[in-house]
Amino acid sequence: MTTTQPITLALSKGRIFEETLPLLAAAGITVAEDPEKSRKLILPTNQPDVRVVLVRATDVPTYVQYGGADMGVAGKDTLIEHGGQGLFRPLDLCIATCRVSVAVRADFDYAQAVRQGARLRVATKYTQIARDFFASKGVHVDLIKLYGSMELAPLTGLADAIVDLVSTGNTLKANQLVEVERIMDISSHLVVNQAALKLKQEPLKRIIDAFAGAIAPR
Ligand code: AMP
């Protein structure tokens, strides 16, 4: 069935894009081009009124919040850091799963540092999650905001610990870091612009319902 009101879906390249494809297929939507082979940022689909825009993972909530896209798929980590303003969050899609953890150098006694009430220097891209987590434990931290390669921070003496996404744990292991606390499990969620949900209720609800029926429970 074709929609009459155009729908724009914001996705990021990589795991989220790949793992959203089967959900789109359940809604009868196939993306016409492979983002890994194309430089296009707007991808048409087999449905003339549905298109996909490719944005950075951290920009998905912003695009949806301000109506640059009607809906999008974003990790729980990204949504917490964004704050979620203006977003309706109807579904946990149970895709792109990983966890947010605290990691330190293998020779750093994290438990002892926490017990002694030491002020920890923590490097992370996820400052909101880290701030909330250490506050809930009553641990004093100096947060150092980084945008990538967090694993380097404890190795160079920039920080005592990092808060980062962990999937297999291979990146930590390759850099002689150990996971000392698991903060939360992460998966990607469907987010919808609140105004669009009213103005384009029928086509959006059709996609949300199809996604809901296709989610593989964890
Ligand atoms: P791994 O070596 O499998 O534990 O993966 C860890 C690396 O992949 C870290 O650099 C993470 O920032 C990144 N990573 C893992 N899972 C995700 C995810 N779901 N979304 C984005 N980045 C991820």
Side-chain angles (χ1 to χ4, degrees), residues 6 11 22 55 63 65 86 92 102 120 132 142 151 156 175 185:
L11 295 176
V55 301
Y63 267 82
Q65 175 185 3
D92 179 353
V102 183
L120 280 182
D132 291 349
D142 290 320
E151 298 84 6
T156 54
N175 291 290
D185 289 328

Side-chain angles (χ1 to χ4, degrees), residues 15 96-98 126 150-151 164-172:
R15 256 183 99 182
T97 54
C98 58
Y126 307 99
M150 257 98 53
E151 298 84 6
D164 196 9
L165 297 180
V166 181
S167 182
T168 60
N170 290 340
T171 306
L172 293 181

Side-chain angles (χ1 to χ4, degrees), residues 36-143:
E36 300 302 335
K37 294 192 183 129
S38 161
R39 284 175 179 272
K40 278 191 193 165
L41 298 174
I42 299 179
L43 304 179
T45 72
N46 64 325
Q47 299 202 7
D49 298 322
V50 180
R51 63 181 188 167
V52 169
V53 292
L54 295 173
V55 301
R56 274 184 82 121
T58 46
D59 290 336
V60 168
T62 309
Y63 267 82
V64 178
Q65 175 185 3
Y66 293 108
D70 300 299
M71 62 200 323
V73 176
K76 184 178 167 190
D77 51 314
T78 306
L79 291 171
I80 292 174
E81 295 300 321
H82 168 268
Q85 308 88 328
L87 302 177
F88 174 59
R89 198 164 130 177
L91 289 175
D92 179 353
L93 301 175
C94 302
I95 60 169
T97 54
C98 58
R99 57 194 184 271
V100 184
S101 292
V102 183
V104 298
R105 268 165 61 149
D107 60 1
F108 181 78
D109 193 342
Y110 174 77
Q112 168 86 343
V114 168
R115 227 180 1 255
Q116 285 180 340
R119 210 177 164 87
L120 280 182
R121 286 170 308 147
V122 178
T124 188
K125 189 158 95 177
Y126 307 99
T127 48
Q128 193 59 47
I129 292 173
R131 189 175 294 113
D132 291 349
F133 175 70
F134 287 109
S136 74
K137 284 172 67 80
V139 174
H140 295 288
V141 291
D142 290 320
L143 290 178

